[in-house]
Amino acid sequence: MSKLPPQYQFIDLSDYGRAGGKWIAQALQETRFTPIHVTLTFVLSGVIAVYCMLNGFYSQAAFFLILKSIIDAADGELARLKNTPSYVGRYLDSVCDLLLNLVFLCTITYITNTSYLWTVLAFVGLQLQGTLYNYYYVILRNRVQGDRTSRVRENVRPVALPGESQRSVTFFHTLYRSLYGAFDWIIFKLDRHAAQSKPFPSWFMTLLSVYGLGFQLLIMALLLVIDLPHFIIPVLLAMTGFIAVFIGIRRIFLK
């Protein structure tokens, strides 16, 4: 099940793991596995990728980075198949992604002897890229009656959905806000009127999808496979520079 009605769907370059994620979700649909179990599994895949990078097994690290993307697509698919939407699951997924991103970049910095100043800048850039993509994607979903588990801004604590406790939702919402709040605020300030624009065209969302986490991990994996890990930080920094381009296109041409 897509997050968008058919007429608004687009080619998501970061979502190459969707087919594999659907297969995993379908295999788990009649089991006791929950979407949160799947989320914890992609964390394990990320940890194995870090171990491989530290030991010079770059091809294997790339495999587990891609596997992480595939499993990452499965938790949401499983939630939809089991009809168990969850704010806890949504926040846990995002928190795990951010922490893994930080660990990935620190690991790359260590094995390439890169300055940690560049690592901090790359991490901030990586998160701003993903936040911009999610910001526009959630706006589009809300405008066209798509999936509404995510919200344009997460500054208001949601009411727990059936099957989850309000205490858990409150905890994970607070944790999410502490980690993502600054990035969400920056992107909102840069384009606060985006929610009033017409639905974004498919070509724009496809181009923007290079900022999706799956595509970012794909870049890391490709550079690891060709034994160029020292290019990962510079490439991520260069990609950050295009944030202004995407926002400019939206503000000028997609009002």
Side-chain angles (χ1 to χ4, degrees), residues 136-147:
Y136 285 159
Y137 193 9
V138 172
I139 286 173
L140 177 61
R141 299 203 306 257
N142 287 337
R143 287 294 303 275
V144 301
Q145 303 302 310
D147 178 83

Side-chain angles (χ1 to χ4, degrees), residues 52-113:
C52 291
M53 282 189 271
L54 289 173
N55 288 276
F57 306 136
Y58 292 161
S59 294
Q60 292 86 343
F63 170 81
F64 282 103
L65 287 176
I66 299 302
L67 180 61
K68 185 266 181 189
S69 290
I70 294 172
I71 301 173
D72 199 357
D75 51 8
E77 291 292 339
L78 185 60
R80 284 184 280 275
L81 285 176
K82 290 195 171 190
N83 194 27
T84 55
S86 167
Y87 286 116
V88 170
R90 179 258 186 273
Y91 297 135
L92 178 64
D93 184 290
S94 295
V95 167
C96 290
D97 280 337
L98 183 146
L99 295 178
L100 282 176
N101 286 347
L102 180 60
V103 173
F104 292 154
L105 292 185
C106 287
T107 302
I108 291 164
T109 298
Y110 177 77
I111 65 177
T112 61
N113 198 29

Side-chain angles (χ1 to χ4, degrees), residues 193-213:
H193 300 298
Q196 283 77 55
S197 67
K198 60 186 178 182
F200 308 128
S202 297
W203 63 265
F204 178 74
M205 293 304 301
T206 293
L207 290 176
L208 186 64
S209 68
V210 299
Y211 279 175
L213 179 56

Side-chain angles (χ1 to χ4, degrees), residues 10-15 18 127-141 187 200 204-214 216 243:
F10 60 94
I11 298 173
D12 189 340
L13 300 176
S14 71
D15 202 29
R18 184 63 52 184
Q127 293 307 125
L128 289 175
Q129 292 172 35
T131 300
L132 181 66
Y133 173 61
N134 289 328
Y135 180 57
Y136 285 159
Y137 193 9
V138 172
I139 286 173
L140 177 61
R141 299 203 306 257
I187 293 300
F200 308 128
F204 178 74
M205 293 304 301
T206 293
L207 290 176
L208 186 64
S209 68
V210 299
Y211 279 175
L213 179 56
Q216 295 166 338
I243 287 177

Side-chain angles (χ1 to χ4, degrees), residues 135-199:
Y135 180 57
Y136 285 159
Y137 193 9
V138 172
I139 286 173
L140 177 61
R141 299 203 306 257
N142 287 337
R143 287 294 303 275
V144 301
Q145 303 302 310
D147 178 83
R148 290 178 176 268
T149 303
S150 300
R151 298 176 297 173
V152 174
R153 296 194 70 194
E154 295 287 355
N155 55 335
V156 177
R157 184 169 59 245
V159 176
L161 294 168
E164 58 184 3
S165 71
Q166 186 61 52
R167 183 176 181 179
S168 296
V169 171
T170 299
F171 172 79
F172 281 101
H173 175 263
T174 302
L175 181 59
Y176 173 92
R177 288 281 298 158
S178 68
L179 295 175
Y180 280 92
F183 302 114
D184 288 347
W185 182 84
I186 290 171
I187 293 300
F188 176 75
K189 289 295 183 180
L190 289 174
D191 196 4
R192 67 172 64 206
H193 300 298
Q196 283 77 55
S197 67
K198 60 186 178 182

